[in-house]
Amino acid sequence: HNLPTSIYATQWFITLFLYNFASYSAPIWDIFLYEGFSFVYTFSIAIFKHFQQKLLKLDFEEMAKFLQFRSEDGTEMDCSADIQQIIK
């Protein structure tokens, strides 16, 4: 869909995913402190692989909104089961 990475990745990288996955801040920081910044790229690719089938079904706007992992009201989407699988 030629979605610019600045729509989602800037927020991911600047906040180390904490804005998008605040409820997983402890495990994300644990992994980040252990592995370093390469974790950010690895986690990003893992997100795309995990949600690949869903992302391919979305149009440009839906994909942009989905990759921000926020509900319509701006709250964090419940992706707890997905994030647990990705972190493993």
Side-chain angles (χ1 to χ4, degrees):
H1 292 304
N2 294 322
L3 185 70
T5 55
S6 61
I7 290 177
Y8 59 89
T10 303
Q11 190 174 65
W12 288 2
F13 294 175
I14 289 175
T15 67
L16 297 174
F17 303 97
L18 298 183
Y19 177 78
N20 304 93
F21 308 116
S23 58
Y24 286 91
S25 59
I28 287 173
W29 270 95
D30 285 346
I31 298 168
F32 173 72
L33 292 172
Y34 181 75
E35 294 186 13
F37 203 79
S38 63
F39 160 74
V40 176
Y41 299 113
T42 304
F43 192 62
S44 299
I45 292 168
I47 288 171
F48 284 114
K49 284 185 176 182
H50 183 80
F51 291 110
Q52 181 178 8
Q53 295 304 314
K54 181 170 181 70
L55 289 169
L56 291 173
K57 295 176 185 173
L58 302 175
D59 65 21
F60 181 90
E61 289 182 30
E62 293 170 332
M63 186 181 295
K65 186 169 276 201
F66 179 81
L67 290 173
Q68 293 175 7
F69 295 98
R70 293 283 163 185
S71 300
E72 292 292 325
D73 61 358
T75 58
E76 183 180 344
M77 277 182 4
D78 182 18
C79 300
S80 54
D82 297 305
I83 299 308
Q84 286 176 355
Q85 287 180 340
I86 293 170
I87 290 177
K88 291 181 182 180

